[in-house]
Amino acid sequence: MLNYSISEENYLKAIYHLQKTDGTVSTNELAKELNTKPASITDMMKKLKAKKLLNYQPYRGFRLNAYGTKVALTIIRRHRLWEFFLAQKLKFSWDEVHEVAEELEHVSNKKLIDRLDEFLGFPRVDPHGDPIPDVNGKIEVSKKINITELPLHTAGTVASISDQSSEILELLEHRNITIGTKIEVNKKFEFDNSMEIKIGRQAAFTISEQLAKNIFVDHAK
Amino acid sequence: MLNYSISEENYLKAIYHLQKTDGTVSTNELAKELNTKPASITDMMKKLKAKKLLNYQPYRGFRLNAYGTKVALTIIRRHRLWEFFLAQKLKFSWDEVHEVAEELEHVSNKKLIDRLDEFLGFPRVDPHGDPIPDVNGKIEVSKKINITELPLHTAGTVASISDQSSEILELLEHRNITIGTKIEVNKKFEFDNSMEIKIGRQAAFTISEQLAKNIFVDHAK
DNA sequence: AAATAAATTTAGGCAAACCTAAAAATTATA
DNA sequence: TATAATTTTTAGGTTTGCCTAAATTTATTT
Ligand SMILES: [Mn+2]
Ligand SMILES: [Mn+2]
Ligand SMILES: [Mn+2]
Ligand SMILES: [Mn+2]
């Protein structure tokens, strides 16, 4: 596996995340994600294609190939292991880890990452509940459901949060919602799709549709 | 304290180390240290001068000013804390830590470094025996002497190694010489300045002048 | 099926950090 | 103190990764 620049690594990671939802990624989409201009995306797509990391036909969008996916997964592995380290060992809160991991992930020494993994006890998920790829880049796919799809009065365990801005994480922290929290939905209001939820013995409270859409739970069916 | 590029940080650190021996650093000297060409040094010196990090007169060499020294010390702090982390927590050998720390040192989040320091128990020296600057950039200056100046038959404790190439560190490891090792000089040979030394209960053996010049000891006078 | 709108690419530039070759300044030597 | 050698700087390029503005292609409306 060759060495890639910080920019190339950030592009690969962003494409990986975007193509999970869409099948193929568009120039504008990626430009927005990376806070750059569409012209810069086209430049980089030519380069990444030349380096055989993705498939790209002008005007037709792009998609990582098998090799590009493998590279993306090693970067995601680094990112999530560092996030776990920051949260677990350095007592960073879960809304602070992402920004720092965004830089640490580009230190590409393999021994460093594998030893870190071992030191941390081979964690399987990062502080946001996202799975950590193993040494071989294998990633665990768990069947999580969105809280809006959780049947009423049925306990679900918070497994991950899709939006990871510090704003949402701050709000969740304030509401005592964290990975592992047991949640039950009491009622859904059709008017604005808000819902009343209950956590443990606390009094029930209401959350907005916007927030609910970002909370995923493991649902012991 | 502003943010500097990876290149700028590497230049600052190199100048700091070079000016400890010489008073002022020359273009060629720094080019050699950084494996670049003299013309590149001149380019960068103009930039660092414009950023008020050093004093520089064309053809007259350069020297960090107070502010540049402070910046250099925060980079050295990061470098040595990561070296300590790698050796202590990730079981890297002391000849492997430098290369990785060379990359990790450029992640400039202050909270990360201060928390890492705390996590490691505020270590005072890195795996090569070099002092780690504290939160305020303060560095401990210890009065070490070179082993060639150690009186015969007097125990000294290895405190640091000046050359830190993996070649020398590998050799020292093989010879069972590490930070903290107690050494006694049995005899010096004027012919080639080699010397016979003794470590603990081991049989005495000979080391070259070249090697000896890199070993510094704390000498309980 | 035109016409219009939106998305994407191309063309041409810029800054950072390098480089080589030539010019200029400094230092050493005869 | 000239002359030669060495060191340093300048001039002019290159590559990477970004930008704006214009051209082109594709998609959406009438
Ligand atoms: Mn990143
Ligand atoms: Mn994460
Ligand atoms: Mn470095
Ligand atoms: Mn060191």
Side-chain angles (χ1 to χ4, degrees), chain A residues 139-178:
Chain A
I139 201 166
E140 231 170 67
V141 274
S142 71
K143 49 281 149 259
K144 291 174 249 179
I145 61 169
N146 190 266
I147 194 175
T148 57
E149 283 144 27
L150 186 66
L152 292 181
H153 308 297
T154 311
T157 307
V158 176
S160 66
I161 307 299
S162 46
D163 180 335
Q164 289 174 8
S165 62
S166 32
E167 290 78 16
I168 196 178
L169 297 174
E170 210 188 310
L171 169 54
L172 289 167
E173 192 139 322
H174 185 72
R175 288 263 179 267
N176 284 316
I177 299 172
T178 188

Side-chain angles (χ1 to χ4, degrees), chain A residues 79-80 83 97-98 126-130 164:
Chain A
H79 182 100
R80 294 183 178 164
E83 281 193 345
V97 298
H98 183 79
D126 80 4
H128 308 104
D130 294 316
Q164 289 174 8

